[in-house]
Amino acid sequence: MSRGLCFDATSMLKISHLSHSFGAHWALKNVSFSLEKGEFLFLSGPSGAGKTTLLRLLHGALPVQRGAASVAGFDLTRLSGRTVPLLRRQVSVVFQDFKILPERSVYANVALPLEVRGLAPQHIGRRVRAVVRALGLENRLDTPGGELSGGEQQRVAVARSIVVNPQVLLADEPTGNLDPELSLRLMDIFMQFHAYGTTVVLATHSPELIRRHPDARLLRLEDGMITHANWPGGEVFRCADGGLHLGGGGNGPDPCGLDAPGIPGGSGNSGSSGDDNSGSGAPGNPDGRLSL
Amino acid sequence: MRTFFRLLGRGVADLFLHPWAQLLSMAAVTLVVFLSGLLLMALATVDAELSASRGETVYQVYWRPGTDMAHVRGQWEELRHMPWLASLETYSPDEALTALARRMGETTGQAAGLPALDMGFLSGKSPLPPTALLTFAPREADPEKWAADTQTFLKAMPGVERVAASPLRDELGKAWRAASRFVIWPTVGFLGVVLALVVGNTVRLTLSTRREEIEILQLVGARNWYIRLPLMVAGALQGLLGGGLACLLLLVVHWRFRTALNVPPLLLELRLPPPEQAALLLAVPVLMGILGSWIAVRSR
Ligand SMILES: Nc1ncnc2c1ncn2[C@@H]1O[C@H](COP(=O)(O)OP(=O)(O)OP(=O)(O)O)[C@@H](O)[C@H]1O
Ligand SMILES: [Mg+2]
């Protein structure tokens, strides 16, 4: 690809030197990583760290300002009004604020992405019922979204995102309003999708969830930067010009030849690698970036 | 195709999702269209009054005495179909005589206390010619030429002896006819723009109640036409209903108050705007309903 970016064909999700600012405030600073098909990533970090911003970039709700990104084969730097809907048919999102339609029934809310794709009604009915049952909402099918509890709304949001069998699933705090038992049930569902090959990125505040899935990947964002990574299985960032590993040392020049200029706040804030990983960035990276 | 019709149906069904918002914006559309209609009606009334009733030309046509009355009556029938004819009064020789007698009785007889003049003895042998009094309210670009042509035509009719013309056109009517072209359509255009802005903005604002829905549809991968089509149907319907209701109201006003101003010294009869202007009252709201919905859905 252009600009010396190093995307290999198998990556389902690849971002490189991604930065995003709201006015003068940089919500995301020089973030790079990639995920293969079927991988599972926890995105953790304190409130305001930039998790939602990153997820919004990944489904085209925010334009890419700096850096590059591709998701499910779509180059996010070249999205247009025509391609955004196509991207969103591959990438499902569970929003932190649910975004369900209050006047419409649970059924209509969950069926929405299928209708948008023009599927036949019988087919839609079958899939919606299956997903709704899996999430324990089967006796709320006709209830308007606005009359549901927070936890129920959250499950509707999850149901709507998985009903389409997405290639990539982005979930922003999907267990925030659920009791522990429901959280576990939901995580089981996400894990099932993950097992069937969906790439999952899940933002969460819950250390408990992360602890329960030690083999999932983990990135910790703080103030827009990756400050911690647990990247089991190693090889993380491969360049098209020779399959270079970036995890080893931080003292060489940027092997991909791109250094996003003018991003403030990068220096002096280096990442710390996860304990057992072989491929994450190391302390001392000159611009504080952790290239994964 | 199935999706297309489903979306059309949804546009209609969605009107009932936020009934109050829809009702209020429809009321706004109705009121603006109604007001515009009233203005057009006033304009049409003034136009009709100034250019038709005041700018009249009267021709008195005299046939040769003794002309066959059956023949003359046939000609009168033809005259009735002349363009711009406002009224036609005809007098056979006998009728002319009666009218003359009455006139003389009124002017001389009454004053002198004499009984009404009885001309019955002349009945059937009236020496007066058949005559016709034609009043025209022409709305021609070139009234002078029209007057000359009409006079020539009347004179050339078989049996006609003489045609007297008396143009009663007043200066105001003449000036209005010259100016109306520069007044009417610009006014209509201005009203159209006002109508378009208000209706378009109203519909657009109504859709702010559905901003969330539009956003969610975009987030689950709906293409723009999929989102826009139902909204445009709803917008068009709103324009149609609002405009239609306003037109109905105008008809009611016209029917109820048509002759209300027809008292001296006003003597105005309310006119409906001509069809091409009335069509604007429906077309503009419908188009702006569609356009307003279109604009409300920005891509991304
Ligand atoms: N639309 C926006 N306009 C301006 N600033 C924004 C906007 N969205 C996010 N920000 C800022 O960007 C930073 C990152 O926000 P973001 O929502 O990504 O955090 P987060 O990690 O998702 O936090 P939380 O865990 O509370 O959801 C915050 O400082 C926030 O104030
Ligand atoms: Mg967030």
Side-chain angles (χ1 to χ4, degrees), chain A residues 113-142:
Chain A
L114 297 173
E115 282 177 359
V116 157
R117 288 161 172 76
L119 267 64
Q122 333 61 294
H123 189 62
I124 293 179
R126 207 171 52 235
R127 283 173 75 164
V128 170
R129 267 175 252 282
V131 169
V132 163
R133 202 175 311 118
L135 286 161
L137 287 167
E138 61 270 31
N139 46 15
R140 309 293 272 160
L141 267 180
D142 300 319

PDB file of all heavy atoms in Angstrom, chain A residues 113-142:
ATOM      1  N   PRO A 113     -30.411  -4.567  11.056  1.00  0.00           N
ATOM      2  CA  PRO A 113     -29.295  -4.760  10.120  1.00  0.00           C
ATOM      3  C   PRO A 113     -29.578  -5.801   9.050  1.00  0.00           C
ATOM      4  O   PRO A 113     -29.005  -5.732   7.952  1.00  0.00           O
ATOM      5  CB  PRO A 113     -28.134  -5.201  11.021  1.00  0.00           C
ATOM      6  CG  PRO A 113     -28.707  -5.485  12.341  1.00  0.00           C
ATOM      7  CD  PRO A 113     -30.050  -4.873  12.434  1.00  0.00           C
ATOM      8  N   LEU A 114     -30.477  -6.748   9.333  1.00  0.00           N
ATOM      9  CA  LEU A 114     -30.812  -7.757   8.328  1.00  0.00           C
ATOM     10  C   LEU A 114     -31.726  -7.152   7.268  1.00  0.00           C
ATOM     11  O   LEU A 114     -31.577  -7.425   6.074  1.00  0.00           O
ATOM     12  CB  LEU A 114     -31.486  -8.958   8.988  1.00  0.00           C
ATOM     13  CG  LEU A 114     -30.628  -9.724   9.994  1.00  0.00           C
ATOM     14  CD1 LEU A 114     -31.445 -10.790  10.703  1.00  0.00           C
ATOM     15  CD2 LEU A 114     -29.434 -10.356   9.293  1.00  0.00           C
ATOM     16  N   GLU A 115     -32.660  -6.314   7.715  1.00  0.00           N
ATOM     17  CA  GLU A 115     -33.555  -5.653   6.757  1.00  0.00           C
ATOM     18  C   GLU A 115     -32.768  -4.739   5.830  1.00  0.00           C
ATOM     19  O   GLU A 115     -33.019  -4.675   4.635  1.00  0.00           O
ATOM     20  CB  GLU A 115     -34.606  -4.837   7.508  1.00  0.00           C
ATOM     21  CG  GLU A 115     -35.718  -5.690   8.059  1.00  0.00           C
ATOM     22  CD  GLU A 115     -36.714  -4.894   8.874  1.00  0.00           C
ATOM     23  OE1 GLU A 115     -36.511  -3.676   9.018  1.00  0.00           O
ATOM     24  OE2 GLU A 115     -37.672  -5.516   9.366  1.00  0.00           O
ATOM     25  N   VAL A 116     -31.826  -4.041   6.432  1.00  0.00           N
ATOM     26  CA  VAL A 116     -30.993  -3.132   5.660  1.00  0.00           C
ATOM     27  C   VAL A 116     -30.255  -3.887   4.552  1.00  0.00           C
ATOM     28  O   VAL A 116     -30.021  -3.371   3.468  1.00  0.00           O
ATOM     29  CB  VAL A 116     -29.999  -2.455   6.625  1.00  0.00           C
ATOM     30  CG1 VAL A 116     -28.788  -1.966   5.905  1.00  0.00           C
ATOM     31  CG2 VAL A 116     -30.695  -1.324   7.350  1.00  0.00           C
ATOM     32  N   ARG A 117     -29.949  -5.148   4.813  1.00  0.00           N
ATOM     33  CA  ARG A 117     -29.263  -5.964   3.808  1.00  0.00           C
ATOM     34  C   ARG A 117     -30.231  -6.590   2.818  1.00  0.00           C
ATOM     35  O   ARG A 117     -29.821  -7.326   1.933  1.00  0.00           O
ATOM     36  CB  ARG A 117     -28.455  -7.054   4.502  1.00  0.00           C
ATOM     37  CG  ARG A 117     -27.220  -6.538   5.204  1.00  0.00           C
ATOM     38  CD  ARG A 117     -26.735  -7.542   6.238  1.00  0.00           C
ATOM     39  NE  ARG A 117     -25.442  -7.182   6.826  1.00  0.00           N
ATOM     40  CZ  ARG A 117     -25.274  -6.243   7.741  1.00  0.00           C
ATOM     41  NH1 ARG A 117     -26.292  -5.537   8.142  1.00  0.00           N
ATOM     42  NH2 ARG A 117     -24.075  -5.987   8.235  1.00  0.00           N
ATOM     43  N   GLY A 118     -31.525  -6.350   3.015  1.00  0.00           N
ATOM     44  CA  GLY A 118     -32.508  -6.835   2.057  1.00  0.00           C
ATOM     45  C   GLY A 118     -32.795  -8.320   2.153  1.00  0.00           C
ATOM     46  O   GLY A 118     -33.181  -8.952   1.164  1.00  0.00           O
ATOM     47  N   LEU A 119     -32.641  -8.909   3.338  1.00  0.00           N
ATOM     48  CA  LEU A 119     -32.913 -10.336   3.480  1.00  0.00           C
ATOM     49  C   LEU A 119     -34.415 -10.612   3.507  1.00  0.00           C
ATOM     50  O   LEU A 119     -35.214  -9.753   3.846  1.00  0.00           O
ATOM     51  CB  LEU A 119     -32.274 -10.868   4.776  1.00  0.00           C
ATOM     52  CG  LEU A 119     -30.875 -11.438   4.634  1.00  0.00           C
ATOM     53  CD1 LEU A 119     -29.900 -10.377   4.213  1.00  0.00           C
ATOM     54  CD2 LEU A 119     -30.430 -12.075   5.941  1.00  0.00           C
ATOM     55  N   ALA A 120     -34.760 -11.839   3.156  1.00  0.00           N
ATOM     56  CA  ALA A 120     -36.183 -12.225   3.137  1.00  0.00           C
ATOM     57  C   ALA A 120     -36.722 -12.295   4.564  1.00  0.00           C
ATOM     58  O   ALA A 120     -36.014 -12.723   5.470  1.00  0.00           O
ATOM     59  CB  ALA A 120     -36.333 -13.578   2.450  1.00  0.00           C
ATOM     60  N   PRO A 121     -37.983 -11.900   4.755  1.00  0.00           N
ATOM     61  CA  PRO A 121     -38.566 -11.832   6.104  1.00  0.00           C
ATOM     62  C   PRO A 121     -38.486 -13.149   6.888  1.00  0.00           C
ATOM     63  O   PRO A 121     -38.197 -13.123   8.083  1.00  0.00           O
ATOM     64  CB  PRO A 121     -40.021 -11.449   5.830  1.00  0.00           C
ATOM     65  CG  PRO A 121     -39.995 -10.743   4.531  1.00  0.00           C
ATOM     66  CD  PRO A 121     -38.896 -11.350   3.735  1.00  0.00           C
ATOM     67  N   GLN A 122     -38.730 -14.300   6.232  1.00  0.00           N
ATOM     68  CA  GLN A 122     -38.701 -15.573   6.988  1.00  0.00           C
ATOM     69  C   GLN A 122     -37.299 -15.803   7.543  1.00  0.00           C
ATOM     70  O   GLN A 122     -37.117 -16.223   8.694  1.00  0.00           O
ATOM     71  CB  GLN A 122     -39.035 -16.814   6.188  1.00  0.00           C
ATOM     72  CG  GLN A 122     -39.900 -16.837   4.980  1.00  0.00           C
ATOM     73  CD  GLN A 122     -39.491 -16.061   3.807  1.00  0.00           C
ATOM     74  OE1 GLN A 122     -39.451 -14.820   3.870  1.00  0.00           O
ATOM     75  NE2 GLN A 122     -39.227 -16.711   2.696  1.00  0.00           N
ATOM     76  N   HIS A 123     -36.341 -15.531   6.697  1.00  0.00           N
ATOM     77  CA  HIS A 123     -34.947 -15.696   7.069  1.00  0.00           C
ATOM     78  C   HIS A 123     -34.603 -14.781   8.258  1.00  0.00           C
ATOM     79  O   HIS A 123     -33.982 -15.201   9.221  1.00  0.00           O
ATOM     80  CB  HIS A 123     -34.099 -15.338   5.854  1.00  0.00           C
ATOM     81  CG  HIS A 123     -32.663 -15.664   6.010  1.00  0.00           C
ATOM     82  ND1 HIS A 123     -32.225 -16.950   6.198  1.00  0.00           N
ATOM     83  CD2 HIS A 123     -31.567 -14.870   6.032  1.00  0.00           C
ATOM     84  CE1 HIS A 123     -30.906 -16.929   6.322  1.00  0.00           C
ATOM     85  NE2 HIS A 123     -30.487 -15.682   6.229  1.00  0.00           N
ATOM     86  N   ILE A 124     -35.051 -13.543   8.143  1.00  0.00           N
ATOM     87  CA  ILE A 124     -34.807 -12.574   9.215  1.00  0.00           C
ATOM     88  C   ILE A 124     -35.417 -13.085  10.510  1.00  0.00           C
ATOM     89  O   ILE A 124     -34.767 -13.115  11.559  1.00  0.00           O
ATOM     90  CB  ILE A 124     -35.413 -11.200   8.848  1.00  0.00           C
ATOM     91  CG1 ILE A 124     -34.659 -10.588   7.670  1.00  0.00           C
ATOM     92  CG2 ILE A 124     -35.367 -10.260  10.047  1.00  0.00           C
ATOM     93  CD1 ILE A 124     -35.195  -9.244   7.221  1.00  0.00           C
ATOM     94  N   GLY A 125     -36.672 -13.536  10.435  1.00  0.00           N
ATOM     95  CA  GLY A 125     -37.369 -14.007  11.624  1.00  0.00           C
ATOM     96  C   GLY A 125     -36.605 -15.130  12.308  1.00  0.00           C
ATOM     97  O   GLY A 125     -36.440 -15.124  13.536  1.00  0.00           O
ATOM     98  N   ARG A 126     -36.125 -16.071  11.517  1.00  0.00           N
ATOM     99  CA  ARG A 126     -35.429 -17.218  12.090  1.00  0.00           C
ATOM    100  C   ARG A 126     -34.177 -16.765  12.844  1.00  0.00           C
ATOM    101  O   ARG A 126     -33.940 -17.156  13.987  1.00  0.00           O
ATOM    102  CB  ARG A 126     -35.066 -18.186  10.973  1.00  0.00           C
ATOM    103  CG  ARG A 126     -34.948 -19.619  11.455  1.00  0.00           C
ATOM    104  CD  ARG A 126     -34.811 -20.589  10.311  1.00  0.00           C
ATOM    105  NE  ARG A 126     -33.745 -20.227   9.394  1.00  0.00           N
ATOM    106  CZ  ARG A 126     -33.905 -20.055   8.081  1.00  0.00           C
ATOM    107  NH1 ARG A 126     -35.088 -20.193   7.539  1.00  0.00           N
ATOM    108  NH2 ARG A 126     -32.891 -19.725   7.311  1.00  0.00           N
ATOM    109  N   ARG A 127     -33.406 -15.925  12.202  1.00  0.00           N
ATOM    110  CA  ARG A 127     -32.140 -15.514  12.825  1.00  0.00           C
ATOM    111  C   ARG A 127     -32.362 -14.648  14.053  1.00  0.00           C
ATOM    112  O   ARG A 127     -31.677 -14.797  15.065  1.00  0.00           O
ATOM    113  CB  ARG A 127     -31.268 -14.787  11.805  1.00  0.00           C
ATOM    114  CG  ARG A 127     -30.615 -15.781  10.868  1.00  0.00           C
ATOM    115  CD  ARG A 127     -29.888 -15.111   9.764  1.00  0.00           C
ATOM    116  NE  ARG A 127     -28.622 -14.515  10.187  1.00  0.00           N
ATOM    117  CZ  ARG A 127     -27.690 -14.148   9.338  1.00  0.00           C
ATOM    118  NH1 ARG A 127     -27.875 -14.314   8.050  1.00  0.00           N
ATOM    119  NH2 ARG A 127     -26.578 -13.600   9.762  1.00  0.00           N
ATOM    120  N   VAL A 128     -33.316 -13.722  13.936  1.00  0.00           N
ATOM    121  CA  VAL A 128     -33.569 -12.841  15.079  1.00  0.00           C
ATOM    122  C   VAL A 128     -33.987 -13.669  16.283  1.00  0.00           C
ATOM    123  O   VAL A 128     -33.471 -13.491  17.389  1.00  0.00           O
ATOM    124  CB  VAL A 128     -34.665 -11.811  14.728  1.00  0.00           C
ATOM    125  CG1 VAL A 128     -35.113 -11.063  15.975  1.00  0.00           C
ATOM    126  CG2 VAL A 128     -34.143 -10.829  13.693  1.00  0.00           C
ATOM    127  N   ARG A 129     -34.899 -14.633  16.065  1.00  0.00           N
ATOM    128  CA  ARG A 129     -35.373 -15.435  17.191  1.00  0.00           C
ATOM    129  C   ARG A 129     -34.239 -16.220  17.841  1.00  0.00           C
ATOM    130  O   ARG A 129     -34.153 -16.320  19.068  1.00  0.00           O
ATOM    131  CB  ARG A 129     -36.498 -16.362  16.734  1.00  0.00           C
ATOM    132  CG  ARG A 129     -37.857 -15.736  16.947  1.00  0.00           C
ATOM    133  CD  ARG A 129     -38.960 -16.610  16.385  1.00  0.00           C
ATOM    134  NE  ARG A 129     -39.500 -15.997  15.185  1.00  0.00           N
ATOM    135  CZ  ARG A 129     -40.362 -14.978  15.210  1.00  0.00           C
ATOM    136  NH1 ARG A 129     -40.762 -14.484  16.356  1.00  0.00           N
ATOM    137  NH2 ARG A 129     -40.814 -14.446  14.096  1.00  0.00           N
ATOM    138  N   ALA A 130     -33.367 -16.769  17.010  1.00  0.00           N
ATOM    139  CA  ALA A 130     -32.264 -17.562  17.559  1.00  0.00           C
ATOM    140  C   ALA A 130     -31.362 -16.694  18.434  1.00  0.00           C
ATOM    141  O   ALA A 130     -31.001 -17.064  19.561  1.00  0.00           O
ATOM    142  CB  ALA A 130     -31.461 -18.180  16.419  1.00  0.00           C
ATOM    143  N   VAL A 131     -31.013 -15.527  17.925  1.00  0.00           N
ATOM    144  CA  VAL A 131     -30.098 -14.654  18.666  1.00  0.00           C
ATOM    145  C   VAL A 131     -30.745 -14.134  19.942  1.00  0.00           C
ATOM    146  O   VAL A 131     -30.121 -14.101  21.009  1.00  0.00           O
ATOM    147  CB  VAL A 131     -29.657 -13.479  17.760  1.00  0.00           C
ATOM    148  CG1 VAL A 131     -28.944 -12.432  18.569  1.00  0.00           C
ATOM    149  CG2 VAL A 131     -28.762 -13.986  16.659  1.00  0.00           C
ATOM    150  N   VAL A 132     -32.009 -13.772  19.832  1.00  0.00           N
ATOM    151  CA  VAL A 132     -32.711 -13.223  20.982  1.00  0.00           C
ATOM    152  C   VAL A 132     -32.828 -14.277  22.076  1.00  0.00           C
ATOM    153  O   VAL A 132     -32.685 -13.990  23.268  1.00  0.00           O
ATOM    154  CB  VAL A 132     -34.097 -12.706  20.528  1.00  0.00           C
ATOM    155  CG1 VAL A 132     -35.013 -12.526  21.711  1.00  0.00           C
ATOM    156  CG2 VAL A 132     -33.939 -11.388  19.794  1.00  0.00           C
ATOM    157  N   ARG A 133     -33.040 -15.529  21.656  1.00  0.00           N
ATOM    158  CA  ARG A 133     -33.126 -16.610  22.637  1.00  0.00           C
ATOM    159  C   ARG A 133     -31.767 -16.777  23.339  1.00  0.00           C
ATOM    160  O   ARG A 133     -31.700 -16.895  24.564  1.00  0.00           O
ATOM    161  CB  ARG A 133     -33.551 -17.910  21.961  1.00  0.00           C
ATOM    162  CG  ARG A 133     -34.168 -18.905  22.931  1.00  0.00           C
ATOM    163  CD  ARG A 133     -34.696 -20.133  22.219  1.00  0.00           C
ATOM    164  NE  ARG A 133     -35.546 -19.826  21.074  1.00  0.00           N
ATOM    165  CZ  ARG A 133     -35.259 -20.180  19.815  1.00  0.00           C
ATOM    166  NH1 ARG A 133     -34.153 -20.849  19.541  1.00  0.00           N
ATOM    167  NH2 ARG A 133     -36.076 -19.864  18.827  1.00  0.00           N
ATOM    168  N   ALA A 134     -30.714 -16.723  22.566  1.00  0.00           N
ATOM    169  CA  ALA A 134     -29.384 -16.910  23.151  1.00  0.00           C
ATOM    170  C   ALA A 134     -29.082 -15.844  24.204  1.00  0.00           C
ATOM    171  O   ALA A 134     -28.320 -16.081  25.138  1.00  0.00           O
ATOM    172  CB  ALA A 134     -28.332 -16.875  22.055  1.00  0.00           C
ATOM    173  N   LEU A 135     -29.697 -14.691  24.063  1.00  0.00           N
ATOM    174  CA  LEU A 135     -29.432 -13.609  24.996  1.00  0.00           C
ATOM    175  C   LEU A 135     -30.521 -13.482  26.054  1.00  0.00           C
ATOM    176  O   LEU A 135     -30.554 -12.509  26.813  1.00  0.00           O
ATOM    177  CB  LEU A 135     -29.279 -12.290  24.234  1.00  0.00           C
ATOM    178  CG  LEU A 135     -27.950 -12.200  23.492  1.00  0.00           C
ATOM    179  CD1 LEU A 135     -27.992 -11.157  22.406  1.00  0.00           C
ATOM    180  CD2 LEU A 135     -26.825 -11.894  24.464  1.00  0.00           C
ATOM    181  N   GLY A 136     -31.428 -14.441  26.092  1.00  0.00           N
ATOM    182  CA  GLY A 136     -32.445 -14.459  27.134  1.00  0.00           C
ATOM    183  C   GLY A 136     -33.474 -13.356  27.016  1.00  0.00           C
ATOM    184  O   GLY A 136     -34.006 -12.876  28.013  1.00  0.00           O
ATOM    185  N   LEU A 137     -33.767 -12.934  25.791  1.00  0.00           N
ATOM    186  CA  LEU A 137     -34.733 -11.844  25.609  1.00  0.00           C
ATOM    187  C   LEU A 137     -36.001 -12.342  24.938  1.00  0.00           C
ATOM    188  O   LEU A 137     -36.812 -11.541  24.481  1.00  0.00           O
ATOM    189  CB  LEU A 137     -34.106 -10.745  24.748  1.00  0.00           C
ATOM    190  CG  LEU A 137     -33.040  -9.872  25.399  1.00  0.00           C
ATOM    191  CD1 LEU A 137     -32.318  -9.058  24.336  1.00  0.00           C
ATOM    192  CD2 LEU A 137     -33.656  -8.941  26.429  1.00  0.00           C
ATOM    193  N   GLU A 138     -36.172 -13.681  24.859  1.00  0.00           N
ATOM    194  CA  GLU A 138     -37.242 -14.199  23.994  1.00  0.00           C
ATOM    195  C   GLU A 138     -38.639 -13.757  24.414  1.00  0.00           C
ATOM    196  O   GLU A 138     -39.532 -13.651  23.587  1.00  0.00           O
ATOM    197  CB  GLU A 138     -37.175 -15.731  23.875  1.00  0.00           C
ATOM    198  CG  GLU A 138     -37.344 -16.495  25.166  1.00  0.00           C
ATOM    199  CD  GLU A 138     -36.005 -16.723  25.861  1.00  0.00           C
ATOM    200  OE1 GLU A 138     -35.110 -15.864  25.703  1.00  0.00           O
ATOM    201  OE2 GLU A 138     -35.857 -17.746  26.558  1.00  0.00           O
ATOM    202  N   ASN A 139     -38.830 -13.457  25.721  1.00  0.00           N
ATOM    203  CA  ASN A 139     -40.183 -13.003  26.067  1.00  0.00           C
ATOM    204  C   ASN A 139     -40.315 -11.478  26.087  1.00  0.00           C
ATOM    205  O   ASN A 139     -41.282 -10.943  26.588  1.00  0.00           O
ATOM    206  CB  ASN A 139     -40.643 -13.620  27.390  1.00  0.00           C
ATOM    207  CG  ASN A 139     -39.562 -13.521  28.444  1.00  0.00           C
ATOM    208  OD1 ASN A 139     -38.608 -12.758  28.260  1.00  0.00           O
ATOM    209  ND2 ASN A 139     -39.689 -14.262  29.526  1.00  0.00           N
ATOM    210  N   ARG A 140     -39.341 -10.803  25.525  1.00  0.00           N
ATOM    211  CA  ARG A 140     -39.444  -9.336  25.401  1.00  0.00           C
ATOM    212  C   ARG A 140     -39.533  -8.899  23.941  1.00  0.00           C
ATOM    213  O   ARG A 140     -39.409  -7.705  23.650  1.00  0.00           O
ATOM    214  CB  ARG A 140     -38.209  -8.652  26.019  1.00  0.00           C
ATOM    215  CG  ARG A 140     -37.873  -9.087  27.421  1.00  0.00           C
ATOM    216  CD  ARG A 140     -38.918  -8.657  28.406  1.00  0.00           C
ATOM    217  NE  ARG A 140     -38.648  -7.317  28.920  1.00  0.00           N
ATOM    218  CZ  ARG A 140     -39.578  -6.559  29.493  1.00  0.00           C
ATOM    219  NH1 ARG A 140     -40.798  -6.987  29.597  1.00  0.00           N
ATOM    220  NH2 ARG A 140     -39.264  -5.370  29.963  1.00  0.00           N
ATOM    221  N   LEU A 141     -39.760  -9.858  23.056  1.00  0.00           N
ATOM    222  CA  LEU A 141     -39.682  -9.571  21.617  1.00  0.00           C
ATOM    223  C   LEU A 141     -40.502  -8.358  21.178  1.00  0.00           C
ATOM    224  O   LEU A 141     -40.075  -7.591  20.318  1.00  0.00           O
ATOM    225  CB  LEU A 141     -40.161 -10.793  20.827  1.00  0.00           C
ATOM    226  CG  LEU A 141     -39.068 -11.770  20.400  1.00  0.00           C
ATOM    227  CD1 LEU A 141     -39.688 -12.913  19.625  1.00  0.00           C
ATOM    228  CD2 LEU A 141     -38.028 -11.057  19.547  1.00  0.00           C
ATOM    229  N   ASP A 142     -41.699  -8.191  21.754  1.00  0.00           N
ATOM    230  CA  ASP A 142     -42.576  -7.124  21.282  1.00  0.00           C
ATOM    231  C   ASP A 142     -42.488  -5.857  22.115  1.00  0.00           C
ATOM    232  O   ASP A 142     -43.208  -4.892  21.871  1.00  0.00           O
ATOM    233  CB  ASP A 142     -44.026  -7.628  21.267  1.00  0.00           C
ATOM    234  CG  ASP A 142     -44.165  -8.820  20.347  1.00  0.00           C
ATOM    235  OD1 ASP A 142     -43.551  -8.777  19.264  1.00  0.00           O
ATOM    236  OD2 ASP A 142     -44.856  -9.792  20.717  1.00  0.00           O
TER     237      ASP A 142
END
